[in-house]
Amino acid sequence: MLTIVILFLCLAILLYFLLGGADFGAGIIELFTSEANRQRTRSTSYQAIGPVWEANHMWLIIAVVILFVGFPQIYSVMCTYLHIPILAMLMGIIARGTAFTFRHYDAVKGYRTQTLYNRIFVYSSFLTPLFLGIIAGSALSRKIDTGAAGFADAYVFNWLNWFSVAVGLFTVALCGFLAAIYLIGEAEDEFDVKRFVKKAKVLNIVAFFCGGLVFLAAETNNIRMAKWIFGNPVSLTAVVLASISLVMLWVGINRKKKHIIRVYAAFQVSMILLSVGYTHYPYFITVKNGDHLSLLTDHASANTINTLGGALLVGSLFILPALGYLFYSFRGHTDHD
Amino acid sequence: MDDFLAARSQMALSLGFHIIYSCIGMVMPVFMAIAHYKYIKTGNIVYKNITQAWSKGVAIFFATGAVSGTMLSFELGLLWPKFMLHAGPIFGMPFSLEGVAFFIEAIALGFFLYGWNKFNKWFHWLTGVLVGVSGILSGILVVSANAWMNSPSGFDYINGKYTNIDPIKAMFNGAWFSESLHMTIAAFAATGFAVAGIHALMIFRKQNISFHTRAFKIAIVFGAIAALLQPISGDISAKHAAKRQPAKLAAMEAYFHTQEYAPLVIGGIPDTVAKKVNYGIEIPGLLSFLVHDDFKTPVKGLDQIPANEQPPVAITHYAFQIMVGLGMIMLAIGVLYLICIWKKHNWLFKPWFLKLFIFATPLGFIALEAGWTVTEVGRQPWIIQDVMRTADAVTPMPGIQYSFYLFTFIYFTLSVAVIVLLQRQIKMVPVVYDVKE
Ligand code: HDD
Ligand code: HEM
Ligand code: HEM
């Protein structure tokens, strides 16, 4: 059962990254769209994510619930030492979620209020994945110091450091990239397709650049990033596959294969996550003094894991088909009132 | 403000905020489904308009409920990491099932909001019903988790260690039934009265009468029936509380001295130093009767509870009085409505009658918040009754007060935003749904 629970945790994290990420990305793209085209981007992204966006964010809840029920130690260490970035991420989630809904459901579409919602939406779309990345970067890189004495060492510098911030930026770039690819398939006309292709190109380059930044920061922080990725065959293969899928992705874009490219993009990002995840598995958190919190040992009692696994299995029987049907029904365009 | 107080205030604030949205999220879909059903059956366009107007409100509330709920699932750890370390695996079962229920709710909502004219009409209707059903299920589940804190079970606590964990038994703890029942009814009562009040105001102002009277009727039928059931379920809750948390019951009643023919005190100002209630109305024997079903048997008073295990008496007592008092007022208004549909149809357009409902708009939600204050403050100083003290659960991180100020600011802003948005939606009703009488 433990394996099943861990699989669900990985699935939830992955899907949150892909679906929630694309959805953050839509806001990031809007942030970097010229004033003239913003309204077009906005309506395309609303049509694309409107029906599914509540569901996309449920993956985060599922991941959190699995953590606090199944791996309470991991959850409480993260919540204690990464309190501040988690708080920042939550602020992003709350601002973004409400602004997205409010701008659509405000019966009076006043210029000033709409501008305000839009601002909140785009900036929080940037901040939320930034902090998600920071949290992930800090958890995996021995930054958490359970023995630290001062406030700053215990609660601030464990996440406010070059490495974690670089991971955060990389995450933002990936989200934007995912969204650009996703929106290509939703665009109304050739003009928009061209715009999103261009965005995808730029973001691809930015992601490369941020990836480089992560490596650099890792070097200066004594984190052996290269070993994480090239040190074992699985991670290495994943990175190679990610690179191949990136090439296929661009071939696909040039051949105007609007939908298959999503699969390549999702695959590519999954491979990146797999490569980092595999190196660390089963450790979820690595602590400064060399301690680890491991999914395989630091879990709740067998009874809890069994019921949790059961609940997840039964739940997924309902959720997965329904979710599939939701995505299927609202593929392409949405009419709504 | 010290960190511990800040953490408690932040938790209370967040939950107090979330509960409003979640109750509306549980109940409004049910109202919507009824209006929708009537539309499908009668083809009357007014019902379609009501459904769509309500569904916009639901979307706003759902989004706010969902983000505040996401905050909560982290806040439990951000503020009470030591509690979650032990409690997570024990009371996690309802939370994992709740996650499933939320998920279904979010999916169904996507179908419902965006599915007009797209699906078979009964399928579309059914997705709306599913939103309601899974919302209510989530509510019941999360309250079972809270009930576990009042009535911990499903584990053995030996020498500071939590062993023999049985999550299923923890979920079906001694308080889950009475709390969930009371909570669900409260959600219907509070939302029913609030929605009815808003539509009553519109009828009073003679705007879109046919739209608003139909909407009013759907909401108030639920509100009135729930208001009738609430005291009965409250009595069950009180009996349960007396058994498992005598300190809470004694604080609710500001009942200081154990005695035979224990009196019920209505109102009054508890004086915790002199250990008596000033200016209250005492009805001898009634408390004994309510707790034990006979007028004589003594009820355990605060004098039998060690001082360091007593909850704050005054807050608990006032909150309880407010809840029960408002419950009685709502009961009376509910009865009036039933008389109106049974015998006095013309009341519905009489100003005094409408004013009554306008006045009652916020009552249910005030009672709801008061009720939670009773449950939560009445449990103090325990976070898990008789097992873990709240003070031992709080996060070691200093500076929580800043986080509390931040949350206060955010929730305040959000509340204002939601109120403005709703006002605008209501204002647009005549424009968007211009139905001639
Ligand atoms: C519309 C709201 C509302 C109304 C009118 C009432 N209640 Fe209530 N009450 C709640 C809303 C509520 C609540 C907010 O939903 C609580 C908090 C926890 C719970 O299970 O329900 C609650 C808790 C609660 C508790 C504490 C239970 C516990 O700690 O386990 C008791 C004893 C009562 N109620 C009793 C009553 C009585 C005798 C009422 C008579 C009219 C009453 N309530 C009306
Ligand atoms: C939704 C309605 C709820 C409201 C309005 C509410 C209200 C409150 C209040 C007023 C406090 C502060 C008590 C004090 O410190 O004196 C509190 C504390 C707390 N509540 Fe609730 N509560 C609600 C539901 C829940 C639920 C469902 C849970 C968990 C499953 C929960 C968990 C807690 C915890 C962990 C604390 C902090 C520790 C404590 O003070 O006991 N609450 N809540
Ligand atoms: C008595 C207290 C509570 C009740 C009755 C309640 C009920 C609900 C309901 C019905 C929803 C659906 C949202 C909507 O329709 O607007 C919801 C959302 C949510 N609640 Fe609560 N809840 C309570 C307390 C809590 C607590 C203590 C937590 C966290 C530990 C929590 C976590 C969540 C989450 C994560 C969501 C978002 C789910 C989504 O996206 O749909 N809730 N709650």
Side-chain angles (χ1 to χ4, degrees):
Chain A
M1 239 353 163
L2 184 62
T3 323
I4 290 176
V5 172
I6 294 176
L7 275 176
F8 269 106
L9 179 64
C10 297
L11 182 77
I13 294 175
L14 176 68
L15 287 179
Y16 184 59
F17 201 99
L18 292 178
L19 301 170
D23 182 309
F24 291 129
I28 298 169
I29 290 183
E30 197 179 313
L31 179 62
F32 294 109
T33 299
S34 65
E35 195 59 54
N37 291 328
R38 276 209 181 152
Q39 195 50 46
R40 297 178 70 97
T41 302
R42 222 168 270 152
S43 77
T44 313
S45 62
Y46 186 79
Q47 297 206 344
I49 59 184
V52 290
W53 95 287
E54 286 283 1
N56 288 348
H57 290 271
M58 288 310 300
W59 292 111
L60 177 65
I61 314 257
I62 299 285
V64 172
V65 170
I66 295 179
L67 275 185
F68 78 58
V69 178
F71 309 94
Q73 252 169 317
I74 296 179
Y75 174 78
S76 58
V77 167
M78 283 183 78
C79 281
T80 306
Y81 293 95
L82 299 174
H83 189 123
I84 298 172
I86 291 179
L87 199 63
M89 176 194 76
L90 287 174
M91 296 296 138
I93 290 179
I94 205 162
R96 196 175 171 281
T98 47
F100 181 81
T101 308
F102 290 178
R103 77 174 174 186
H104 182 67
Y105 283 100
D106 192 338
V108 182
K109 297 265 182 296
Y111 175 74
R112 282 183 38 206
T113 38
Q114 286 293 323
T115 314
L116 180 68
Y117 298 141
N118 291 334
R119 279 221 186 110
I120 296 177
F121 178 70
V122 294
Y123 288 113
S124 52
S125 294
F126 182 87
L127 283 178
T128 315
L130 176 71
F131 279 100
L132 268 172
I134 288 181
I135 293 166
S138 320
L140 289 177
S141 62
R142 303 196 172 202
K143 295 287 181 210
I144 293 176
D145 185 356
T146 48
F151 180 83
D153 284 332
Y155 301 108
V156 178
F157 294 131
N158 56 2
W159 59 272
L160 191 63
N161 57 65
W162 287 116
F163 179 73
S164 304
V165 173
V167 175
L169 290 173
F170 184 55
T171 312
V172 173
L174 281 186
C175 291
F177 177 65
L178 277 173
I181 301 293
Y182 186 72
L183 289 179
I184 293 174
E186 302 287 324
E188 313 246 349
D189 54 27
E190 267 315 297
F191 174 69
D192 277 344
V193 170
K194 282 218 182 80
R195 278 196 313 119
F196 292 129
V197 169
K198 208 170 127 210
K199 287 273 176 291
K201 268 189 195 139
V202 174
L203 282 161
N204 197 344
I205 296 168
V206 175
F208 263 123
F209 179 74
C210 292
L213 213 61
V214 173
F215 265 94
L216 256 173
E219 273 313 307
T220 55
N221 273 244
N222 273 330
I223 296 161
R224 290 152 76 200
M225 190 74 201
K227 198 182 141 223
W228 283 14
I229 292 179
F230 306 117
N232 70 72
V234 174
S235 299
L236 190 61
T237 318
V239 171
V240 171
L241 288 177
S243 313
I244 296 176
S245 66
L246 187 63
V247 175
M248 310 243 298
L249 177 78
W250 284 108
V251 174
I253 290 180
N254 286 335
R255 296 209 183 133
K256 304 227 165 4
K257 300 251 196 284
K258 285 191 198 170
H259 293 282
I260 193 81
I261 55 174
R262 290 180 183 176
V263 180
Y264 293 139
F267 180 77
Q268 190 213 357
V269 173
S270 317
M271 284 301 121
I272 295 177
L273 289 185
L274 174 71
S275 109
V276 179
Y278 186 85
T279 326
H280 289 273
Y281 184 81
Y283 303 135
F284 202 87
I285 294 184
T286 55
V287 185
K288 188 155 197 174
N289 62 15
D291 276 354
H292 308 282
L293 285 178
S294 156
L295 292 173
L296 290 181
T297 51
D298 297 301
H299 56 77
S301 73
N303 230 339
T304 301
I305 294 290
N306 288 343
T307 43
L308 175 63
L312 290 168
L313 281 176
V314 175
S316 59
L317 285 184
F318 292 98
I319 291 170
L320 294 178
L323 192 62
Y325 187 52
L326 183 72
F327 272 97
Y328 173 78
S329 304
F330 292 102
R331 71 199 180 285
H333 296 297
T334 325
D335 344 284
H336 55 84
D337 33 23
Chain B
M1 185 181 244
D2 77 1
D3 287 320
F4 178 46
L5 183 64
R8 291 167 69 176
S9 314
Q10 182 177 326
M11 194 72 203
L13 176 77
S14 311
L15 278 156
F17 182 86
H18 179 69
I19 184 105
I20 296 179
Y21 295 86
S22 50
C23 282
I24 294 172
M26 280 153 74
V27 176
M28 280 310 285
V30 176
F31 293 176
M32 254 157 45
I34 293 194
H36 195 179
Y37 178 82
K38 292 202 166 181
Y39 165 63
I40 297 177
K41 277 285 164 190
T42 64
N44 185 342
I45 192 80
V46 175
Y47 283 115
K48 183 180 182 192
N49 291 339
I50 293 175
T51 317
Q52 292 197 332
W54 276 348
S55 76
K56 292 186 179 150
V58 166
I60 295 171
F61 279 108
F62 190 89
T64 326
V67 288
S68 57
T70 310
M71 309 271 269
L72 276 174
S73 45
F74 282 96
E75 266 181 286
L76 283 177
L78 293 179
L79 300 175
W80 316 104
K82 290 170 208 157
F83 163 66
M84 288 309 281
L85 183 61
H86 300 294
I90 310 173
F91 82 160
M93 188 62 190
F95 280 114
S96 19
L97 292 176
E98 192 201 12
V100 173
F102 284 152
F103 218 132
I104 293 171
E105 193 182 355
I107 296 172
L109 190 76
F111 276 115
F112 182 76
L113 288 181
Y114 296 87
W116 289 97
N117 308 327
K118 200 171 162 90
F119 299 105
N120 170 299
K121 61 183 187 226
W122 287 110
F123 174 79
H124 184 226
W125 179 76
L126 196 68
T127 59
V129 174
L130 261 181
V131 177
V133 171
S134 43
I136 291 172
L137 265 178
S138 325
I140 292 177
L141 287 163
V142 78
V143 172
S144 311
N146 179 267
W148 176 83
M149 294 161 61
N150 287 322
S151 173
S153 60
F155 65 100
D156 292 322
Y157 182 63
I158 302 162
N159 297 333
K161 290 231 161 30
Y162 298 74
T163 54
N164 290 331
I165 291 170
D166 182 348
I168 307 275
K169 215 167 140 196
M171 180 159 97
F172 296 109
N173 57 69
W176 86 273
F177 178 74
S178 60
E179 262 203 65
S180 303
L181 178 71
H182 196 59
M183 170 77 229
T184 311
I185 299 176
F188 276 93
T191 314
F193 270 84
V195 173
I198 293 171
H199 291 291
L201 179 66
M202 293 298 142
I203 304 173
F204 185 72
R205 291 187 181 160
K206 306 228 176 336
Q207 287 175 350
N208 295 60
I209 303 257
S210 86
F211 178 98
H212 289 295
T213 36
R214 286 182 170 87
F216 173 82
K217 279 185 189 157
I218 295 176
I220 196 58
V221 166
F222 281 93
I225 294 176
L228 294 186
L229 297 176
Q230 195 68 328
I232 303 172
S233 118
D235 179 49
I236 300 176
S237 286
K239 286 194 167 68
H240 278 255
K243 273 208 205 84
R244 56 163 209 267
Q245 294 170 300
K248 181 189 271 184
L249 185 90
M252 272 155 46
E253 302 291 349
Y255 171 65
F256 290 102
H257 307 286
T258 307
Q259 54 191 287
E260 284 189 345
Y261 300 103
L264 184 80
V265 182
I266 298 177
I269 300 172
D271 180 342
T272 39
V273 182
K275 303 207 183 309
K276 63 184 175 88
V277 182
N278 298 321
Y279 316 114
I281 305 167
E282 281 199 11
I283 308 175
L286 193 54
L287 185 61
S288 288
F289 178 73
L290 286 176
V291 171
H292 297 297
D293 286 327
D294 86 75
F295 289 97
K296 185 163 178 230
T297 319
V299 175
K300 201 169 177 182
L302 286 165
D303 53 358
Q304 294 196 1
I305 290 148
N308 70 349
E309 291 181 13
Q310 290 184 7
V313 176
I315 299 180
T316 317
H317 180 67
Y318 294 138
F320 187 65
Q321 302 301 309
I322 293 175
M323 168 173 65
V324 176
L326 294 179
M328 290 304 164
I329 297 177
M330 289 161 69
L331 171 75
I333 300 180
V335 170
L336 273 182
Y337 181 71
L338 295 183
I339 297 176
C340 159
I341 46 175
W342 183 41
K343 279 250 145 85
K344 307 269 185 187
H345 295 284
N346 62 335
W347 280 2
L348 196 50
F349 298 100
K350 294 239 178 336
W352 67 268
F353 191 75
L354 292 171
K355 275 188 191 155
L356 205 58
F357 285 94
I358 299 168
F359 155 78
T361 309
L363 298 190
F365 281 101
I366 301 175
L368 194 86
E369 301 283 357
W372 274 101
T373 311
V374 174
T375 332
E376 299 288 327
V377 177
R379 191 186 59 239
Q380 301 308 315
W382 304 102
I383 189 167
I384 309 173
Q385 183 75 38
D386 299 325
V387 176
M388 184 190 277
R389 280 176 185 264
T390 311
D392 297 331
V394 70
T395 177
M397 192 180 99
I400 299 296
Q401 83 246 42
Y402 299 105
S403 143
F404 170 59
Y405 300 145
L406 186 66
F407 273 72
T408 311
F409 169 75
I410 289 180
Y411 285 139
F412 179 76
T413 325
L414 272 183
S415 310
V416 173
V418 168
I419 291 171
V420 171
L421 285 180
L422 280 189
Q423 247 174 0
R424 289 180 166 186
Q425 287 288 354
I426 294 167
K427 237 193 233 151
M428 293 306 275
V429 166
V431 183
V432 185
Y433 310 107
D434 191 13
V435 201
K436 295 280 170 292
E437 298 295 310

